[in-house]
Amino acid sequence: SLNLKVARITLSGLGVKFDLHIAASGEDLDDLFDLDCSGTLPTGLGVAFTSESVSGGGFLERNVASGGRETWRGGLALRFADGLDVAAFGIVQFGGQRKWTVIVFVIVRFNPPYPLPWGLKLKAVGGLVALNRTVDFNALREAAMGSQGGLEAVLLPDRPEERLLELLPAIDRFFPPRDGSQVVGVLAEITWLADTGSTFGYFRGVLLGELENFQFALYGIARLGFPSI
């Protein structure tokens, strides 16, 4: 790791590898000993920084499976001084005699929420893009009905850049790889506030579209109520 004035940079997996081979017999030292030296590329990079206008951090991780499939995954979170928070995470896979895949989530949060008509406030907006991946609508339906776990934590995650590793199984389940398929999605979180600041309700929703077969799915949660006096 390297500490700078406003940033900290961390590398993992970076080093030098030495292999010493000793022969059973030989006439001189060159025949008895054989030394190989090679470098190892980093498997992870982490960055954290703080300044007056923006602070945050992110990470990038590289993993190579036994079959040659290479996966790059990472997350980024930025907090701006004007109250804007941006979070993103994504996964890129290639190699292993299979088609490459990409999936990226981006979420922007407003603090304070952005004002809309009729007392509504926009708290967050975001999007999803997946290439060579599809949508498993049956898995989405089962999760939405509660029989196979929650769906809101995956499609509308809080602090996704910090929870990427635990979200990976759900991402592969709901958005499995498939050659030639593309998926796009938009998400929004809206609150309904009174003039006094009391919350009447909120709505969180996601619209997903599988472009190859022109299929769409809408998932959302709405809660309405009356503030206590």
Side-chain angles (χ1 to χ4, degrees):
S1 62
L2 175 64
N3 290 320
L4 303 176
K5 185 175 181 180
V6 296
R8 177 184 177 89
I9 302 174
T10 303
L11 287 174
S12 62
L14 177 65
V16 180
K17 179 181 178 182
F18 295 94
D19 292 324
L20 177 62
H21 305 276
I22 303 177
S25 61
E27 298 181 357
D28 52 32
L29 291 179
D30 292 337
D31 296 331
L32 286 175
F33 300 100
D34 184 16
L35 180 64
D36 293 332
C37 177
S38 61
T40 59
L41 295 176
T43 57
L45 168 66
V47 178
F49 56 91
T50 302
S51 67
E52 294 182 359
S53 58
V54 61
S55 63
F59 77 96
L60 182 64
E61 183 182 60
R62 172 178 172 266
N63 180 51
V64 181
S66 58
R69 188 68 168 174
E70 190 166 340
T71 301
W72 289 81
R73 54 199 184 194
L76 175 67
L78 300 176
R79 172 163 292 180
F80 295 90
D82 57 1
L84 190 68
D85 295 348
V86 179
F89 66 97
I91 305 170
V92 178
Q93 294 179 321
F94 55 88
Q97 299 180 347
R98 292 167 54 190
K99 190 80 171 180
W100 56 269
T101 69
V102 175
I103 184 166
V104 178
F105 290 79
V106 179
I107 301 174
V108 179
R109 297 188 180 276
F110 304 94
N111 188 20
Y114 185 80
L116 299 175
W118 307 302
L120 301 178
K121 304 284 186 178
L122 180 63
K123 291 190 64 176
V125 65
L128 175 156
V129 175
L131 305 178
N132 286 322
R133 285 181 179 264
T134 186
V135 180
D136 190 332
F137 291 99
N138 291 328
L140 289 175
R141 187 180 301 109
E142 293 174 357
M145 299 301 293
S147 59
Q148 296 292 329
L151 185 59
E152 186 177 8
V154 178
L155 298 181
L156 296 163
D158 294 323
R159 302 185 305 276
E161 73 288 347
E162 299 178 8
R163 303 175 53 235
L164 176 59
L165 296 182
E166 65 179 273
L167 293 174
L168 288 177
I171 292 174
D172 287 335
R173 175 186 166 202
F174 296 133
F175 305 99
R178 191 171 78 179
D179 294 353
S181 294
Q182 294 83 35
V183 180
V184 295
V186 293
L187 65 89
E189 182 175 353
I190 299 173
T191 59
W192 183 20
L193 300 176
D195 294 337
T196 59
S198 301
T199 301
F200 284 127
Y202 75 89
F203 169 77
R204 304 179 77 182
V206 177
L207 176 63
L208 298 174
E210 204 280 321
L211 302 183
E212 182 186 24
N213 299 316
F214 208 68
Q215 299 183 78
F216 295 89
L218 177 63
Y219 171 79
I221 291 181
R223 287 194 175 97
L224 297 176
F226 296 96
S228 59
I229 300 177

